[in-house]
Amino acid sequence: MQLVDTHVHINFANFKEDLGEVGDRWRAAGVVKLVHSCVYPGEFASIQAVADRFPEVSFAVGLHPLDAHRWESGMAEDLAAKAQSDHRVVALGEMGLDFFKADNQDWQEQVFRHQLEIAQQLNKPVIIHCRDAAPRLRDILKDFPPVTGVMHCWAGTPEETQWFLDLGFYISFSGVVTFKNAHQTQAAAQMVPSDRLLIETDCPFLAPVPKRGKRNEPAFVRHVAEYVAQLRNTPPEELAAQTTSNACRLFSLNLPN
């Protein structure tokens, strides 16, 4: 079984001491490709260093909506330059809107639009973070055809899920889908067409059942795959093959021989 974890943050400090062992475990679990997301452009060198160490890692560059206050003059040019500086950059992000506790919604939207413009210019997919902001985010994306990408760590309603499917987006499920009360996320995971389905860990956050409460890591994406396969009444091997194919198509990944 080959798996792709489409969203990781393994440059974080809580992987510093044992990243080699973490890599051994994801390889043993069948994870053959990882897409490393970026929350702030200043991380770029540390993410590159991870990819230098692990050739199965591709990555993105972007500014997370909760860091929108860090946007400054020249950052758009910097992001565009970084995105073109390394062939392993397969996406822009993570970007988007997070209105859960935000008092800067309009500024988040401006920063999001700047990054979508870069993705549009460079013809790269986007990794979207969306929390309590689906209607506004949908309206913004409508202004940027034909930008596509993935709604990462998705926990929206089936109705919201359909909005983004209609815009051509892939939908990625994390360990959240395994949580006992995640009923709308589970319903969404059942309705996404097979050719638009992705899986991820979003590690080190949101470890899936049966690892909930522990530091999440890429090997645990196997638990997400098995749970989503069960929800969809699909053999795990079939779901793994489909989501791996989808990830390779969206992010232009090449599988090892």
Side-chain angles (χ1 to χ4, degrees):
M1 184 187 297
Q2 290 186 321
L3 297 161
V4 178
D5 186 347
T6 60
H7 200 103
V8 304
H9 299 278
I10 53 176
N11 67 322
F12 284 8
N14 52 354
F15 287 109
K16 184 177 180 181
E17 299 301 323
D18 67 339
L19 186 55
E21 296 170 14
V22 170
D24 290 340
R25 288 193 290 270
W26 81 54
R27 288 167 173 163
V31 179
V32 294
K33 289 287 181 180
L34 305 89
V35 178
H36 200 304
S37 199
C38 177
V39 297
Y40 179 67
E43 288 189 295
F44 193 71
S46 69
I47 296 172
Q48 281 183 311
V50 170
D52 290 343
R53 185 174 176 186
F54 301 99
E56 59 266 48
V57 173
S58 298
F59 50 97
V61 60
L63 184 66
H64 193 286
L66 294 180
D67 287 291
H69 62 280
R70 303 174 77 176
W71 185 269
E72 57 190 9
S73 176
M75 190 170 282
E77 292 78 10
D78 181 50
L79 283 172
K82 283 181 166 62
Q84 297 173 88
S85 70
D86 193 313
H87 71 277
R88 296 170 297 183
V89 176
V90 295
L92 274 295
E94 62 186 285
M95 65 177 76
L97 302 176
D98 190 318
F99 292 171
F100 180 57
K101 293 183 178 179
D103 57 5
N104 64 341
Q105 294 184 6
D106 291 342
W107 182 245
Q108 281 191 33
E109 177 176 337
Q110 290 183 50
V111 171
F112 183 33
R113 286 180 176 274
H114 285 315
Q115 294 184 86
L116 288 170
E117 288 171 358
I118 299 167
Q120 194 172 48
Q121 292 163 9
L122 300 183
N123 193 30
K124 286 190 179 291
V126 292
I127 298 171
I128 301 290
H129 172 105
C130 179
R131 188 173 188 188
D132 292 356
R136 191 158 170 190
L137 196 143
R138 172 190 57 172
D139 290 343
I140 294 169
L141 288 175
K142 287 180 178 179
D143 293 337
F144 290 90
V147 172
T148 187
V150 56
M151 306 301 296
H152 112 85
C153 195
W154 185 243
T157 67
E159 179 185 12
E160 292 167 344
T161 304
Q162 191 61 53
W163 294 349
F164 297 106
L165 289 170
D166 290 345
L167 288 171
F169 276 72
Y170 292 69
I171 311 293
S172 182
F173 295 94
S174 69
V176 170
V177 77
T178 71
F179 296 172
K180 181 178 179 180
N181 294 321
H183 303 303
Q184 69 178 18
T185 307
Q186 292 159 3
Q190 291 174 306
M191 64 166 283
V192 173
S194 294
D195 63 352
R196 294 284 197 85
L197 183 68
L198 296 172
I199 52 175
E200 64 174 85
T201 57
D202 197 16
C203 63
F205 314 109
L206 302 170
V209 175
K211 304 291 185 177
R212 192 171 184 187
K214 299 182 179 180
R215 178 195 67 179
N216 202 4
E217 62 179 72
F220 297 169
V221 77
R222 192 177 186 105
H223 298 294
V224 179
E226 290 170 349
Y227 190 88
V228 173
Q230 182 180 357
L231 281 176
R232 295 169 65 92
N233 195 28
T234 300
E237 295 79 9
E238 183 178 320
L239 185 128
Q242 181 68 63
T243 55
T244 294
S245 174
N246 295 345
C248 290
R249 182 169 62 251
L250 176 61
F251 294 117
S252 300
L253 307 176
N254 294 313
L255 293 179
N257 295 324

